[in-house]
């Protein structure tokens, strides 16, 4: 039994007891045993969710990482069947040499396939390919006391929709069939350019997004006045020529948790200013391996420790298109006033491709994501201010990143919650769901 499992932000700090099952055929019996012993539980992928959505209300989780095998692969058509605890990195290591890539990937390759489905994750190509759930063909679902089911758009379609973005509450996904995306090379051709403020971000996004597979921007969350929202715009495409190499970059590691957060106003201001000036004022092109392009933070293992023992919270919201420019200016203004924030605040325009999932986060508009060292001020002062802006603009927060959203904000922003609650496996309960629904 693993007793040192947390969420990525380590806030709330609630150690989870992990119950792992080595064989997929034994999983159903294993789930029943854990439920009998502890009353309720929750599937746990690799703990890359920031807040409390991957924490069980009972603090007893079904640890899925040991189910990490390929079951079958059709490399002619790019369809694979994998166990749900396999990571995106492990899928890519097998798929890239065959000329296939994940059609959607979040900013960490350490998420599992089960976790990617349960949060219906999105990536830098949301404007073209929507969320992860759009590329899931079917999966197996185990519910306590029921026989195993197969879910797809045609088989058990309600459970299929509820489980995509279903926060692990509808049952345990034991395997999944995925459609991959063909590539000619694993390198990414990128283009970067600095922008001076938010207005320039929106015009670059309008000009470039539809021309490129990937598009994302980093913003300096401390810049104020006419420089509010200045940053670096990055687009990318899979190279047409090159090699199908898998990255095995050496990882550095933060070896222990320092007694206090290394992120403070001074380190933040210095880094943000240096980073902005280090990027070209005129568009520059380069070829990059896929890992630094998609997963820059993964190179530093345990980077979440730099926030010290109190941990940190990520704030990620999406604002509908019509209100986005004004609301983003207000959000970034409030954050700059507070002097808090993270090295890498990320702005991303989301597209209009609907997800098959009931509770999927993205909507057509603009998403902002950034980390804050945990501090009492956050929940009492800054977050209520940001929440009011998001609420007024008709936006919403991302449950995968959340540790503070109020129940009323959640229910208002995700009206399909009642359908999910009706289909929830009664023996599965997270700290998040207990906080926002019960
Ligand atoms: C550096 C970094 C960058 C990130 N970038 C992005 C991004 O760009 N876009 C984005 O969308 N997200 C992003 N995330 C968030 C991350 O991709 C998601 O939280 C993802 O779901 C984590 O997967 P996991 O396997 O670690 O699952 P966990 O965090 O362990 O669990 C997530 C949810 O999935 C459920 N779950 C896990 N396994 C199963 C299963 N087998 N069956 C049923 N339910 C299951 C859990 O109950 C929980 O509700 C990022 C996270 C990090 C740390």
């Amino acid at each position: 039994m693993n007793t040192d499992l947390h969420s990525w932000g380590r806030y709330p700090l609630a150690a989870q007891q992990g119950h792992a099952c080595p064989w997929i055929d034994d999983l159903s019996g294993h789930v029943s045993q854990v439920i009998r012993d502890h009353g309720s539980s929750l599937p746990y992928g690799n703990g890359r969710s920031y807040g409390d959505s991957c924490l069980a209300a009972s603090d007893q989780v079904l640890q899925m990482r040991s189910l990490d095998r390929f079951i079958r692969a059709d490399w002619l058509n790019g369809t694979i069947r994998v166990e749900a605890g396999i990571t995106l990195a492990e899928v890519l290591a097998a798929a890239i040499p065959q000329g296939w890539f994940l059609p959607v990937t979040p900013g960490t390759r350490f998420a599992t396939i089960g976790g990617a489905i349960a949060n219906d994750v999105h990536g830098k190509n949301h404007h073209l390919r929507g969320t992860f759930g759009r590329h899931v063909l079917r999966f197996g679902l185990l519910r306590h006391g029921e026989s195993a089911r197969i879910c797809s758009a045609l088989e058990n379609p309600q459970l299929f929709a509820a489980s995509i973005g279903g926060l692990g509450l509808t049952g345990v996904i034991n395997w999944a069939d995925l459609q991959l995306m063909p590539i000619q090379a694993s390198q990414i051709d990128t283009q970067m350019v600095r922008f001076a403020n938010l207005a320039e971000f929106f015009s670059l996004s309008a000009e470039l997004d539809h021309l490129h597979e990937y598009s994302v921007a980093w913003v300096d969350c401390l810049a104020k006045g006419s420089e509010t929202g200045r940053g670096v715009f990055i687009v990318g495409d899979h190279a047409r020529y090159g090699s199908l190499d898998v990255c095995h970059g050496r990882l550095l590691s933060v070896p222990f948790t320092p007694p206090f957060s290394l992120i403070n106003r001074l380190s933040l201001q210095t880094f943000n200013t240096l980073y902005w000036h280090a990027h070209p004022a005129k568009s520059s092109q380069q070829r990059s391996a896929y890992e630094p392009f998609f997963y820059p933070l993964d190179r530093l293992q345990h980077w979440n420790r730099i926030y010290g023992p109190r941990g940190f919270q990520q704030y990620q919201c999406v604002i509908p298109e019509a209100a986005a420019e004004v609301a983003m200016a207000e959000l970034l203004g409030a954050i700059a006033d507070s002097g808090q924030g993270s090295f890498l605040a990320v702005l991303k325009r989301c597209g209009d491709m609907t997800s098959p999932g009931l509770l999927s986060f993205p909507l057509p508009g603009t998403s902002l994501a950034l980390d804050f060292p945990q501090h009492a001020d956050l929940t009492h002062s800054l977050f209520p201010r940001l929440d009011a802006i998001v609420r007024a603009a008709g936006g919403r927060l991302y449950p995968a990143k959340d540790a503070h959203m109020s129940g009323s904000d959640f229910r208002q922003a995700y009206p399909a919650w009642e359908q999910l609650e009706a289909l929830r496996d009664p023996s599965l309960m997270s700290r998040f769901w207990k906080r926002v629904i019960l």
Side-chain angles (χ1 to χ4, degrees):
M1 187 193 298
N2 192 332
T3 55
D4 196 26
L5 303 174
H6 295 95
S7 66
W8 192 245
R10 300 172 78 87
Y11 177 85
L13 193 62
Q16 305 288 292
Q17 307 262 325
H19 302 269
C21 176
W23 302 108
I24 197 166
D25 289 343
D26 298 337
L27 187 60
S28 179
H30 172 77
V31 171
S32 300
Q33 186 62 50
V34 173
I35 307 285
R36 267 199 302 276
D37 291 348
H38 301 286
S40 76
S41 188
L42 188 76
Y44 179 97
N46 209 13
R48 257 51 184 189
S49 298
Y50 285 65
D52 54 3
S53 65
C54 63
L55 306 179
S58 62
D59 294 336
Q60 305 287 333
V61 292
L62 298 157
Q63 200 179 348
M64 299 299 294
R65 259 304 274 140
S66 46
L67 298 180
D68 61 354
R69 302 169 189 92
F70 268 74
I71 298 172
R72 72 170 77 120
D74 171 355
W75 295 124
L76 214 57
N77 297 302
T79 54
I80 55 171
R81 175 168 294 182
V82 289
E83 293 180 349
I86 196 169
T87 60
L88 307 184
E90 289 162 348
V91 170
L92 288 175
I96 288 174
Q98 305 292 335
W100 298 94
F101 205 80
L102 289 162
V104 169
T105 177
T108 176
R109 67 194 197 285
F110 297 125
T112 63
I113 293 298
I117 297 173
N119 274 326
D120 197 15
V121 297
H122 59 278
K124 295 177 174 65
N125 58 357
H126 185 271
H127 59 289
L128 281 185
R129 301 197 191 261
T131 59
F132 195 84
R134 288 178 63 88
H135 310 277
V136 175
L137 304 173
R138 67 184 64 75
F139 50 77
L141 192 69
L142 300 176
R143 290 164 64 85
H144 179 53
E146 298 178 20
S147 49
R149 296 171 200 242
I150 294 179
C151 300
S152 69
L154 300 175
E155 306 142 286
N156 298 301
Q158 284 185 318
L159 275 172
F160 182 68
S163 304
I164 294 176
L167 304 169
L169 297 164
T170 58
V172 181
I173 297 167
N174 51 354
W175 56 266
D177 284 352
L178 307 176
Q179 177 64 59
L180 303 176
M181 175 174 85
I183 50 168
Q184 272 87 45
S186 63
Q187 295 76 35
I188 305 288
D189 286 332
T190 67
Q191 215 176 304
M192 284 186 199
V193 65
R194 242 163 47 186
F195 53 89
N197 51 41
L198 264 184
E200 280 191 19
F201 162 78
F202 279 99
S203 76
L204 277 171
S205 169
E207 181 191 327
L208 295 177
D209 280 3
H210 65 284
L211 300 176
H212 297 279
E213 175 78 32
Y214 303 106
S215 162
V216 72
W218 164 86
V219 275
D220 176 356
C221 63
L222 295 185
K224 288 186 175 180
S226 60
E227 292 184 331
T228 298
R230 74 175 181 180
V232 179
F233 200 88
I234 304 160
V235 290
D237 295 282
H238 289 278
R240 297 230 182 108
Y241 308 97
S243 60
L244 289 169
D245 289 340
V246 175
C247 294
H248 295 291
R250 265 190 57 217
L251 299 181
L252 298 170
S253 179
V254 179
F256 60 88
T257 305
F260 50 83
S261 170
L262 302 180
I263 310 295
N264 55 45
R265 193 184 283 245
L266 183 66
S267 59
L268 208 57
Q269 188 103 49
T270 312
F271 176 90
N272 279 4
T273 306
L274 288 176
Y275 189 86
W276 193 75
H277 284 289
H279 283 83
K282 287 214 172 90
S283 177
S284 86
Q285 297 183 348
Q286 66 181 65
R287 181 166 279 205
S288 148
Y290 67 90
E291 269 193 12
F293 180 77
F294 291 110
Y295 314 119
L297 292 171
D298 282 350
R299 289 166 134 188
L300 189 58
Q301 280 187 305
H302 307 296
W303 62 260
N304 51 348
R305 291 178 178 163
I306 64 175
Y307 287 91
R310 285 199 290 212
F312 69 104
Q313 293 197 54
Q314 182 164 110
Y315 193 93
Q316 182 168 6
C317 62
V318 61
I319 306 288
E321 200 63 65
E325 200 162 339
V326 172
M328 284 300 158
E330 290 173 6
L331 289 166
L332 287 167
I335 292 163
D337 281 351
S338 78
Q340 303 175 69
S342 60
F343 291 143
L344 293 171
V346 176
L347 264 185
K348 160 85 196 136
R349 293 282 283 286
C350 296
D352 58 6
M353 295 205 144
T354 47
S355 161
L358 279 184
L359 251 66
S360 191
F361 158 72
L363 47 75
T366 303
S367 154
L368 171 69
L370 72 169
D371 300 338
F372 295 92
Q374 174 55 25
H375 198 277
D377 268 7
L378 278 186
T379 3
H380 296 125
S381 159
L382 181 62
F383 282 2
R385 199 168 158 203
L386 303 184
D387 290 348
I389 298 168
V390 172
R391 198 180 303 125
R396 61 191 181 203
L397 303 183
Y398 189 7
K401 309 287 182 74
D402 184 69
H404 85 279
M405 174 176 11
S406 74
S408 62
D409 277 350
F410 175 73
R411 294 189 298 269
Q412 174 77 29
Y414 293 90
W417 71 267
E418 282 176 293
Q419 284 163 267
L420 178 58
E421 174 59 8
L423 289 168
R424 181 169 65 83
D425 178 334
S427 58
L428 302 179
M429 176 56 71
S430 62
R431 281 176 168 253
F432 173 83
W433 201 249
K434 197 170 167 190
R435 175 163 63 81
V436 299
I437 299 301
L438 303 186

